[in-house]
Amino acid sequence: MQDHRYDYLVSTAWLADHIDAPDVVVVDGSWHLPTTERRAATEYREAHIPGAVFLDIDEVADHTSDLPHMLPAPAAFASAVRRLGIGDGQTIVVYDSVGFYSAPRVWWMFRAMGAPRVFVLDGGLPRWLAEGRPVEDGIVRRPARHFTARLDHAMVATKDDVLAALKSGEAVVVDARSSGRFAGTAPEPRKGIRSGHMPGAYNLPYTNLIGPDGSLRSVDALYTAFADAGVDLDKPVITTCGSGVSAAVLNLALRSLGHTSIAIYDGAWAEWGRDPNLPVAGNGEGNS
């Protein structure tokens, strides 16, 4: 099986060699669940990779929606990243402070908006620090750049798309949440959200795709993980999770296997789980 991981990833060594290149921009895309009580913006100000700007997915979002960090309209996205100094023709490298968690979400946002050269730093900030590489504090401000945003609608799924896929079986729905949350035996971190999963969805916790060193696993290991979860890779895939963050880890992993027909259900369980008109399975039943 062909290895496409480094079509979407860069190593810490590569970034160290290219960090001063005028066409490279580094983005701290860290985000944490509210239950962790970690503040990504504060941590960024305390220590970040030199030259990195901070993209807050709760700010660069659709503020007309009451769902968390929904993808904004192209014009709003372009305006936000322009102010960060990110523009057309640049190579964008995204990392996060966990290692491999929210950076793929920011990577997907740029990809969905048409950026052709955007990558995730494999191992993220933890690997960068473990290798003794430098960090700086404060806030980086770059000159504004023009960014052309054109939304690729095929990369974004709605609840109607998910319902249609579950009914027809023409696409596979894969949930990146933990097995406990999927089964309904572990509570949801957001209030007012039912426990369980979409009937007919498959479960592949995103953590199963990340090695002990914080890297995306080998293509053989990724393929085995999807196969063990029951996912038919000959079909289009819709990935989902709690709020559209860890679903992007599955998206990146699938693209690393050469799978290109993939969308993220942006509303995710935050939308599905609170809607009494949408079906829910679980409460310990496992996959339905």
Side-chain angles (χ1 to χ4, degrees):
M1 179 173 292
Q2 195 169 358
D3 188 346
H4 291 275
R5 288 176 302 166
Y6 281 88
D7 291 347
Y8 309 107
L9 302 174
V10 296
S11 67
T12 49
W14 184 95
L15 181 58
D17 287 343
H18 294 84
I19 197 166
D20 294 324
D23 64 334
V24 172
V25 57
V26 184
V27 179
D28 184 327
S30 301
W31 179 84
H32 306 289
L33 279 168
T35 51
T36 66
E37 297 186 353
R38 292 181 64 176
R39 301 291 180 264
T42 300
E43 293 180 12
Y44 163 79
R45 288 192 295 270
E46 292 171 349
H48 56 259
I49 292 176
V53 296
F54 179 67
L55 191 151
D56 185 342
I57 63 171
D58 287 326
E59 290 298 323
V60 185
D62 179 3
H63 295 292
T64 68
S65 173
D66 61 354
L67 294 169
H69 39 254
M70 293 285 286
L71 192 66
F77 183 84
S79 178
V81 301
R82 175 186 180 278
R83 291 193 299 271
L84 292 176
I86 303 171
D88 296 339
Q90 289 181 315
T91 296
I92 304 163
V93 179
V94 188
Y95 74 89
D96 66 55
S97 57
V98 173
F100 216 104
Y101 176 48
S102 58
R105 167 72 188 195
V106 177
W107 164 86
W108 172 80
M109 291 170 70
F110 277 104
R111 295 270 305 184
M113 291 295 177
R117 289 188 54 77
V118 53
F119 302 89
V120 170
L121 181 65
D122 202 15
L125 185 61
R127 176 172 298 174
W128 183 270
L129 292 172
E131 293 170 349
R133 301 189 188 275
V135 292
E136 63 182 10
D137 60 10
I139 298 175
V140 173
R141 304 189 190 281
R142 297 171 57 94
R145 292 280 298 263
H146 176 75
F147 184 93
T148 304
R150 296 187 181 92
L151 177 61
D152 182 351
H153 292 277
M155 293 184 66
V156 188
T158 66
K159 66 180 178 182
D160 290 336
D161 295 326
V162 175
L163 280 166
L166 294 172
K167 182 177 181 180
S168 69
E170 293 180 359
V172 182
V173 179
V174 189
D175 192 325
R177 293 176 301 153
S178 68
S179 57
R181 289 174 65 188
F182 183 84
T185 57
E188 286 297 308
R190 294 178 176 84
K191 295 180 179 179
I193 306 294
R194 295 173 294 170
S195 296
H197 61 268
M198 303 152 188
Y202 294 86
N203 184 216
L204 177 52
Y206 79 95
T207 50
N208 292 5
L209 304 177
I210 302 166
D213 63 348
S215 291
L216 191 66
R217 291 188 180 274
S218 69
V219 289
D220 288 342
L222 295 177
Y223 181 84
T224 298
F226 281 100
D228 288 349
V231 179
D232 184 351
L233 294 181
D234 290 328
K235 293 183 177 182
V237 178
I238 298 173
T239 63
T240 185
C241 58
S243 64
V245 175
S246 58
V249 177
L250 271 61
N251 189 298
L252 194 154
L254 286 163
R255 292 185 186 277
S256 297
L257 297 175
H259 200 305
T260 56
S261 185
I262 320 158
I264 286 180
Y265 170 32
D266 201 18
W269 197 251
E271 178 179 46
W272 193 283
R274 74 177 188 182
D275 188 339
N277 297 314
L278 294 173
V280 170
N283 296 318
E285 297 172 10
N287 191 37
S288 298

